[in-house]
Amino acid sequence: MAEKLRGAPVAAALTEALSIRAAVLADRGVTPTLAILRLGERADDLAYERAALKRAEKIGIAVRQIVLSRNASQHDVDETIRDISSDPHIHACLPLRPFPKTIDEAGAFALLSPSKDVDCATDAMLLATLTGRPDALAPCTAEAVIAILDYYGIEITGARVAVVGRSNVIGRPIAALLTARDATVTVCHSRTVDVSAITREAEVLVVAAGQAHMIGANHVSSGQTVIDVGINWDEKSQRLVGDVDTEAIKDIVAAYTPVPGGVGSVTTAILAKHVIEAAERAAEEAARAARVAHGTAERTEASWRKR
């Protein structure tokens, strides 16, 4: 029987470490603050928001919930994002996506300061992620995959990895993060010929296709680690299921993440990690600016004394 890689202990370890960093910021007079921007009352948005609030409270992160109507205008959304970007007391912003089709997401997110983008909503942060910049804040779900692999001691460096899915939200960022860790990555998608032949050869298989139970016994082989990023509602069983048919693969592979209880349960901890990082960077920038201002004032005073 394969090992079940649960997300709860991963999230707990992250939460403990982040609480210490939040306390250090608090000692410096900084309260890490996240703005959650939600349009309307979608059930999945509300569920994620509740989970984020619970995680933030445990760590010491303040959260501002900004809620607009599902029928909000482009102007209202744009102005809200401008306000968030210009507010020095907000360190991070999480827009709950997707926005309604009436909103130009790309145009709205272009107004968000990349320094406050903690879930890769802006083109600037996506580019930083895809090009392997060390200061990038990758999509939270993508980074949660890396956190699980690291926590359970799954070797990434040099590993053969297959990623099923190529979206800018999950598939491509996961592939970029794995490549930055020196894995050899193959990305499979809807036009890939003989996906199962590729996935069987991988040591680590990451599935983020958004199709319930698309990965079965013929896609896997013994000794593999399978990370299931998919979350789908199954009408027949009336429950959440992943992209992987775990009943079909659990007696073949070495380890797998369950759905629910796997990658999804780590995502809010990664979100909190990004908020802390954004607050730390803002605090360092403020400290540098203060030192420069102090040095300028001292030089000005010295020059006056010489006159």
Side-chain angles (χ1 to χ4, degrees), residues 209-213 228 230-234 239-244 259:
Q211 183 179 334
H213 288 172
D228 190 354
I231 299 179
N232 313 279
W233 180 254
D234 182 50
R239 63 186 180 89
L240 290 173
V241 299
D243 290 353
V244 178
V259 176

Side-chain angles (χ1 to χ4, degrees), residues 161-243:
V161 183
V163 175
V164 181
R166 57 175 173 178
S167 75
N168 285 341
V169 177
I170 301 176
R172 283 178 171 138
I174 287 175
L177 293 177
L178 290 164
T179 300
R181 292 283 298 273
D182 297 319
T184 300
V185 182
T186 302
V187 177
C188 302
H189 47 79
S190 60
R191 299 296 179 90
T192 301
V193 177
D194 200 357
V195 171
S196 60
I198 296 170
T199 58
R200 283 195 301 268
E201 290 298 314
E203 295 165 280
V204 177
L205 172 58
V206 181
V207 188
Q211 183 179 334
H213 288 172
M214 72 165 291
I215 298 297
N218 65 314
H219 292 89
V220 300
S221 58
S222 62
Q224 284 182 318
T225 296
V226 179
I227 308 295
D228 190 354
V229 184
I231 299 179
N232 313 279
W233 180 254
D234 182 50
E235 290 292 343
K236 184 177 180 180
S237 63
Q238 290 293 294
R239 63 186 180 89
L240 290 173
V241 299
D243 290 353

